[in-house]
Amino acid sequence: MFVEVEEMKSVMYKYQMDEITEADNDLVMIAIQAATDQVKSYFRNGNKKHWQDGRPLYDADVIFGKEKPTLPGETDERNKLLVEIVKNIAEWYILRLSNVDIMFEQVKDRYDRDIDWLKQVQSGEVILDLPVLADNDIGNNRQPFRFGSRQKFNHE
């Protein structure tokens, strides 16, 4: 998984998470996976033509395929900002179950802020230093931008 259950301690206390989920780590893992899938969806290109406008097309499988290192001394190659965003969104999914000793508005504000930021990434307003798809992965369907008008019509 892109984010592990024990990493959630940076966004909510363990006792809070246990109280909300009744100490069921499966619920936490489902929330983390749902959050990862949601964030990943913002990095996938759609099939609309505007996706071929020159914006970087991020390789979501490579970005979210990285995992937390298991051995000491290994470097964490995950993007730290994306890890935090996934944790914030997972916290939102967990918090929906109950509001135990957590400031609901703070969590909601973080969720809204992260979704707005992901929309900026998706629209190309924010460019990240992440792996992008090679041209051959995108496909050879790209057509150069063309503009013009028809020839003038005459009734002669």
Side-chain angles (χ1 to χ4, degrees):
M1 286 179 52
F2 186 66
V3 174
E4 300 294 328
V5 174
E6 65 270 1
E7 291 180 280
M8 291 296 293
K9 65 184 176 188
S10 68
V11 292
M12 64 190 318
Y13 292 111
K14 177 119 176 77
Y15 82 90
Q16 293 170 327
M17 196 166 30
D18 288 344
E19 184 73 27
I20 293 170
T21 62
E22 297 176 350
D24 187 357
N25 276 348
D26 289 341
L27 292 176
V28 178
M29 290 186 339
I30 290 169
I32 291 171
Q33 190 59 51
T36 303
D37 290 345
Q38 182 177 355
V39 173
K40 188 188 293 188
S41 71
Y42 285 94
F43 288 87
R44 295 211 184 273
N45 57 331
N47 8 343
K48 294 183 180 178
K49 283 192 176 222
H50 74 268
W51 281 102
Q52 298 174 357
D53 62 1
R55 284 181 279 170
L57 302 175
Y58 295 104
D59 194 347
D61 294 330
V62 171
I63 295 167
F64 293 95
K66 298 177 180 175
E67 295 181 354
K68 180 181 177 188
T70 55
L71 300 174
E74 287 183 333
T75 57
D76 190 354
E77 296 181 359
R78 301 173 299 169
N79 183 285
K80 307 303 184 276
L81 180 59
L82 291 180
V83 169
E84 288 301 314
I85 289 174
V86 168
K87 289 191 290 187
N88 287 341
I89 294 173
E91 178 187 20
W92 171 252
Y93 286 135
I94 293 168
L95 186 66
R96 292 181 314 167
L97 296 173
S98 175
N99 189 5
V100 177
D101 196 20
I102 297 178
M103 301 304 291
F104 182 80
E105 287 302 317
Q106 289 178 346
V107 176
K108 177 75 169 114
D109 289 343
R110 284 195 303 242
Y111 175 83
D112 290 340
R113 184 179 60 242
D114 290 341
I115 295 301
D116 289 340
W117 184 84
L118 289 168
K119 287 178 181 177
Q120 288 178 339
V121 170
Q122 189 179 40
S123 70
E125 294 176 39
V126 176
I127 306 296
L128 301 173
D129 186 23
L130 294 172
V132 295
L133 292 172
D135 284 340
N136 56 0
D137 292 341
I138 298 168
N140 295 327
N141 298 338
R142 293 180 129 184
Q143 298 292 325
F145 181 74
R146 189 174 130 180
F147 65 94
S149 62
R150 293 183 175 193
Q151 291 181 343
K152 187 174 179 179
F153 181 76
N154 289 324
H155 287 286
E156 298 175 0

